[in-house]
Amino acid sequence: MVTQPDPVTTATQAAPLDLAGYDEGWDSKWTDMRRHGPTGRHLRRIISRVIADLPVETVLDVGCGEGSLIQSLRAGKPACYSGADFSESALRIARKRTPESEFFRLDLTEGALDRQFDLVLCTDVVEHIEDDRTAIANLARMTGKYLLVATMQGRMRAFETSVGHVRNYRHGELQEKIAATGLRIERVVEWGFPSSRRFTATFWR
């Protein structure tokens, strides 16, 4: 079943993401925000707890940015880590930060890497993508065991369009779209203020 966009959670005139500005931003504002901002730090703690007991040997962080999530997870969960992002500036920083990891340039709306990983992570990405069904299908193609997606849920605030958000997900909407790829829901975590602003879900084959 395909559901129509909910005006409560979808921007009617969302500004398209400025790819040039996004790419340039990793040399300034995006890096500090991801590394030191309270949302980024809290998200890393939640993800660490969620994946702590998962039996995985290979991990791919899609939308890895400057690599702060990979750097954080490596300390507590031994595995072979890889990252993917469409920003060359972000990837340049990530490669310097975690030279032991492998990094790829990837646009989720255009395709997937030609390999699977035990665990695929995708945080703060799908809310920026107009064609999220294609992006989610590409995430599923790279998922060998587990997929964890973290995004926004609930009513959009006006400023979110200025940072490229095209939607916040309705309750249950992300689960529906990922389940359509054949993955099954294992765990959902809702957190934030007000009323579940943040959303994290793991899915498995």
Side-chain angles (χ1 to χ4, degrees):
M1 179 179 68
V2 178
T3 58
Q4 296 300 316
D6 185 339
V8 170
T9 57
T10 304
T12 56
Q13 292 183 328
L17 183 62
D18 178 359
L19 300 185
Y22 175 79
D23 194 58
E24 295 168 358
W26 288 108
D27 292 322
S28 54
K29 58 182 178 181
W30 302 123
T31 295
D32 287 343
M33 180 182 70
R34 288 286 289 268
R35 290 186 65 189
H36 306 299
T39 299
R41 288 187 282 111
H42 189 49
L43 181 60
R44 289 193 292 272
R45 286 196 296 268
I46 289 178
I47 292 175
S48 295
R49 291 199 298 267
V50 168
I51 72 171
D53 297 326
L54 296 182
V56 298
E57 296 181 0
T58 57
V59 179
L60 173 67
D61 181 13
V62 179
C64 66
E66 34 49 89
S68 56
L69 178 58
I70 291 175
Q71 186 178 42
S72 174
L73 295 179
R74 281 178 57 88
K77 187 154 185 79
C80 180
Y81 286 86
S82 301
D85 203 286
F86 64 66
S87 169
E88 290 290 355
S89 294
L91 292 172
R92 183 180 67 249
I93 298 170
R95 290 185 181 106
K96 291 180 180 178
R97 178 166 294 160
T98 56
E100 306 86 355
S101 301
E102 189 175 14
F103 293 93
F104 308 89
R105 188 185 182 281
L106 177 67
D107 184 334
L108 272 179
T109 64
E110 296 181 353
L113 301 178
D114 61 354
R115 54 195 276 203
Q116 289 190 328
F117 300 80
D118 293 339
L119 170 63
V120 175
L121 306 170
C122 186
T123 65
D124 296 328
V125 173
V126 291
E127 66 270 20
H128 294 274
I129 300 176
E130 188 69 45
D131 184 8
D132 62 336
R133 290 186 182 272
T134 294
I136 289 168
N138 284 326
L139 288 172
R141 291 188 183 98
M142 296 183 287
T143 300
K145 292 182 179 179
Y146 301 95
L147 168 65
L148 183 152
V149 178
T151 185
M152 305 295 292
Q153 178 176 276
R155 185 179 296 275
M156 282 189 69
R157 294 159 291 183
F159 82 88
E160 292 182 60
T161 62
S162 68
V163 294
H165 289 189
V166 297
R167 76 179 58 75
N168 283 357
Y169 286 85
R170 299 187 311 275
H171 190 270
E173 180 183 5
L174 181 64
Q175 295 97 308
E176 174 198 330
K177 290 181 176 180
I178 297 185
T181 70
L183 300 182
R184 292 179 288 172
I185 301 170
E186 179 170 283
R187 183 177 182 184
V188 174
V189 178
E190 297 175 320
W191 58 278
F193 178 85
S195 183
S196 302
R197 291 297 307 169
R198 303 289 306 188
F199 175 77
T200 304
T202 56
F203 302 82
W204 62 289
R205 289 197 177 276

